[in-house]
Amino acid sequence: MIDPKSAAAGNLAADRIDLKLIADMVPRDTKVLDIGCGDGALLELLVNERGVDGRGLELGQSGVNNCVARGLSVVQGNADADLSYYPDNGFDTVILSQTLQATQRPHDVLREMARIGNRLIVSIPNFGHWRVRLDLLAKGRMPVTGALKASWYETANIHLCTLKDFADLCDVLSLSVERCITLSRGHATAYAGRPTRRANLLADQGVFVLRRL
Amino acid sequence: MSETGVKNEQSETVLFDSAALKLDCGVTLNHVSLAYTTYGTLNGDKRNAILICHPLTCDQYPASENPQTGRDGWWTQAVGPGRPIDTDKYFVICSNVLGGCGGSTGPQTDNPDGSGPYGLNFPVITIADMVRAQNLLIDHLGIESLFCVIGGSMGGMQVLEWAAMHGPRVFSAVPIATSARHSSQNIAFHEVGRQAILADPEWHAGAYYEKDAHPRKGLAVARMAAHITYLSETALQRKFGRNLQDRESVTYGFDADFQIESYLRHQGMSFVERFDANSYLYITRAMDYFDIAAENNGNLAAAFKDTATRFCVMSFTSDWLFPTSESVNLVRALNAAGANVSFVEIESDKGHDAFLLDEPEMHATLSGFLKSAAKARGLIEGGRDHD
């Protein structure tokens, strides 16, 4: 269970419990790049509560403007096109929360992230969740779940994967899975290393801490 | 106190008698003067100063009436008590650029050699030269480091030059609707304007001051052409459309049948009352020469290497003079340099001039950025104002 009194529990939306987990995994007073930072909720938390030197990259203009007006260092851009302009090892931690599945080339995004920082935190929705499997198997329809809310024709999520798929890709990219926390209806389970088959069935999302090998 | 409610407005002209200004063109300029205005109060440790760099045809009066022209401050939307650049909190400085015609040394100034106004004997200046002169002013005011340097358009070029040349003196920087280099298209528009001035018989090869002449027609045409580039097609269409000027039908002649023609003619004619044609030549040339990457072997990021300055870059969707792509190039270079940078594109159909107008989103961004920078500099505590 997530401790509701944890520093990270701040003002985050109830359905973005992954953000609270991520915030607790970021060491204090480090330099962090948050890719796809949205309205800046995580970044603000990191800057204010953990003394982080935080920067954000966000595609949506209203999100960016909102962030900057609140004093956060955020630029408008997208993960596929703009990461290549960041310097090698410019950050201690690079975060990508619930964004990978919406990128054009997820493997290139991860490669760029690993170049920019040594430590990555990536959260993804799990397409291996039993509800997803059941929807396809029983209903024969593309699944719509709590973590995947949009219908297939309007979803921004073009590269969905299971927790297992993701861990496999990390192997290919020489990224070691240091920790994985899976979320199942708000309940968190921590794993040292790759998530289990059981987690791949039961978790609706996963938060991975990765390191360059 | 002036009508705008700005406190402690002071306008001065400082002569840098002992400091020679070594210009990019190789010439050393002596007896340089800068006319400047300050608003507000410099705090005890002199850490709350904001330098505003003005665009091409503005002056040192962003938040108060220009006593020579009687025109209102050109940036009262952004500068003043309770405004994003809050004159109750910050000590705001704005100087007329080197080469300008608002009281600073420029082509209409008397040459110290006693030969009368410089005219075309004035050396060609650059954006960096403007910044060198401003740097003398900041020394003169006893300020070690500026809290922020802010400017739009040509002012934004000066902001970038400040950050590149004097990074440690610039805690934060806000380049708005600008570029790290003047584009080919923009040089082209400037050339049209300059040729209009040069073609005016009243120009007298720049020596018109003693002949009691002024190339009014040429300068007016230059202004008319430039003014179009400051607007957007949408804004022009909305404001003027194909509306006729004080008439029911077209006259089958070359009068100002259309409102847009009349408007442009008015813009041109009123401009010549307040601006010097030679200054226009020199300042547009300075913008054309501006290319920060070229000063660093083509590497824009190198210009900002190891910078500790916090940047907030802004562009406007309908600005085709300094389009968002120019700001994106700049932001990518700043990111490559590891700089602390924010970048916001503001939705507006008002074209390049949007930065001078009532754009709430720009003002919210500017306020938020300055507030967080002030917190980082220790000017305000815990993100809250204590004043």
Side-chain angles (χ1 to χ4, degrees), chain A residues 61 65 69 73-74 82 85 87, chain B residues 332 335-336 340 343-345 361 368:
Chain A
Q61 189 181 312
N65 296 18
S73 298
V74 173
D82 288 296
Y85 295 95
Chain B
R332 285 174 170 171
N335 270 329
N340 184 333
F343 165 52
V344 167
E345 184 188 30
E361 200 156 3

Side-chain angles (χ1 to χ4, degrees), chain B residues 165-248:
Chain B
M165 284 170 67
H166 304 290
R169 287 197 105 165
V170 182
F171 183 77
S172 62
V174 185
I176 307 170
T178 193
S179 170
R181 57 131 177 72
H182 215 217
S183 70
S184 184
Q185 178 173 267
N186 289 1
I187 295 170
F189 277 116
H190 275 173
E191 176 59 3
V192 170
R194 284 190 296 264
Q195 286 301 329
I197 293 168
L198 268 49
D200 189 326
E202 296 289 294
W203 182 57
H204 297 293
Y208 51 82
Y209 304 104
E210 284 132 324
K211 293 189 165 63
D212 205 23
H214 193 214
R216 299 167 59 89
K217 285 182 177 158
L219 183 58
V221 171
R223 175 63 171 180
M224 288 166 76
H227 197 80
I228 301 166
T229 70
Y230 303 151
L231 307 172
S232 71
E233 203 222 343
T234 315
L236 282 176
Q237 198 61 35
R238 185 183 55 227
K239 199 167 174 186
F240 305 106
R242 291 181 52 83
N243 299 342
L244 299 179
Q245 179 68 27
D246 302 329
R247 61 201 68 189
E248 296 299 317

